Amino acid sequence: MTTDPQQMRKGMIMGAIATLIWGGWPVVTELAIEDNLSPYQVVLLRTLVAFPILLPFLFRGKNTIKAWGQVVCLTFLAGAPYSLLVSTSFQYTNATHGGVIIPGTVLLFGLLSSHFILKDRLTRNRLLGGCAIITGLGLLAFGGSSGGDQASLLGDALFFVGGLMWGTYTLMLRIWPTDAILLTARIALVSTFIMGAYYLVTNQPGLEVLPTRTIIFQGLWQGALSGALAVILFSKGVALMGAAKATVINSLIPVISTVLAFFILKEIPNMLEAIGLIFILGGITIALYVRKAKSAFEKS
């Protein structure tokens, strides 16, 4: 990791831009669903736009059967199947829930898998943060369905499953370390084939029925920004500022999602949802930021 202050600032700016893009993704996806796009159309736009951008990175690594086998496994955890599941979730609940439940579940899964699988000691802060996240997830789900809206509970459950998928993906990255940009390019390729097969089986409506402005806006955000640019910026940022700072910056994603959902979608949580959000955000802060703040910002 570089110690040049200028390079460090550059890395933090890259990480902050990536985090802002990913924080806005739940809001943009909710807008797509409200605009009557199907989950298939949302993911298809993401795949078709991201893949050409990432194409130059596709064959820079090993082209062994083992390497591509790992890519296929990881695609089902973080590629088109994951995106289809999460995009479907927005049909049942709102962007605020998605923007908080997914990263909260990912962190919770990461704490447990690190302790039980990777034998990474579960510290007091991690335990307290994990308990707060579990409490917050329960309050958020109960608050969303307290008015009789059982669909919200289904959406939250799908977000939770999506968080488990992404958490498993991050765990497998520690077991199968590889270049992030190369992996993303290969996942985009496999996802393209999956989306083609999904179309043949289900005969989903394509993109030709969508307004041009919708294709441009959603294609740019879902594919160019979230699917490609943010990955490249975050990967470069990690190389410049180190993983500790990158993780702290990345923990702001649920905060950004919540704020943007409030101002853009006018999503106002009820009392139980608000308390749940506070517990989840507080749990993330305790488990991640408090534990790493000193090492991230003083030891570099």
Side-chain angles (χ1 to χ4, degrees):
M1 182 186 67
T2 181
T3 56
D4 185 340
Q6 185 175 356
Q7 294 297 310
M8 189 72 66
R9 285 193 296 270
K10 182 179 179 181
M12 294 184 72
I13 291 173
M14 288 181 174
I17 294 174
T19 298
L20 182 61
I21 292 172
W22 283 330
W25 178 80
V27 174
V28 174
T29 304
E30 176 72 15
L31 289 173
I33 299 301
E34 289 182 356
D35 208 19
N36 295 319
L37 273 73
S38 68
Y40 171 82
Q41 290 170 324
V42 172
V43 180
L44 184 62
L45 279 170
R46 179 185 182 93
T47 303
L48 292 182
V49 175
F51 176 59
I53 297 173
L54 295 166
L55 185 60
F57 306 100
L58 188 60
F59 297 104
R60 293 188 175 184
K62 296 180 180 179
N63 289 302
T64 63
I65 294 177
K66 178 181 178 182
W68 279 98
Q70 292 174 353
V71 169
V72 172
C73 292
L74 294 172
T75 298
F76 279 92
L77 294 172
Y82 164 81
S83 298
L84 283 169
L85 174 72
V86 173
S87 297
T88 301
S89 307
F90 287 102
Q91 294 180 322
Y92 303 104
T93 189
N94 57 44
T96 302
H97 285 217
V100 176
I101 290 175
I102 294 175
T105 304
V106 170
L107 179 56
L108 180 62
F109 180 87
L111 295 176
L112 295 176
S113 62
S114 293
H115 178 73
F116 290 105
I117 298 176
L118 302 177
K119 307 304 179 183
D120 189 9
R121 187 171 63 90
L122 190 63
T123 64
R124 182 179 62 180
N125 282 344
R126 292 180 181 181
L127 182 60
L128 289 174
C131 291
I133 291 172
I134 292 173
T135 303
L137 289 173
L139 288 170
L140 196 63
F142 185 74
S145 61
S146 59
D149 186 5
Q150 298 304 312
S152 177
L153 189 60
L154 174 60
D156 290 347
L158 292 176
F159 281 135
F160 181 75
V161 173
L164 292 178
M165 291 173 68
W166 193 269
T168 304
Y169 168 75
T170 58
L171 172 64
M172 297 311 297
L173 287 182
R174 296 184 65 178
I175 298 174
W176 297 333
T178 187
D179 179 80
I181 301 177
L182 169 67
L183 177 61
T184 305
R186 292 185 172 184
I187 286 177
L189 172 63
V190 178
S191 293
T192 301
F193 285 109
I194 291 176
M195 295 304 292
Y198 187 77
Y199 172 78
L200 293 175
V201 172
T202 62
N203 195 28
Q204 293 283 327
L207 303 178
E208 69 279 357
V209 299
L210 300 179
T212 302
R213 61 175 179 81
T214 300
I215 293 176
I216 293 175
F217 174 69
Q218 289 292 334
L220 283 174
W221 197 286
Q222 298 285 348
L225 295 180
S226 181
L229 180 61
V231 175
I232 295 172
L233 286 177
F234 192 74
S235 299
K236 298 290 186 182
V238 169
L240 292 174
M241 64 178 163
K245 290 187 181 68
T247 304
V248 172
I249 292 176
N250 217 24
S251 68
L252 296 174
I253 288 177
V255 179
I256 295 171
S257 297
T258 302
V259 172
L260 291 178
F262 177 81
F263 285 104
I264 297 176
L265 301 175
K266 310 302 180 184
E267 292 183 359
I268 302 176
N270 59 37
M271 182 62 70
L272 281 177
E273 289 177 314
I275 296 173
L277 288 171
I278 292 172
F279 265 92
I280 294 174
L281 295 175
I284 292 174
T285 301
I286 293 171
L288 181 64
Y289 183 81
V290 172
R291 180 174 58 87
K292 293 187 179 236
K294 184 175 181 180
S295 61
F297 290 100
E298 294 180 12
K299 293 186 178 180
S300 298

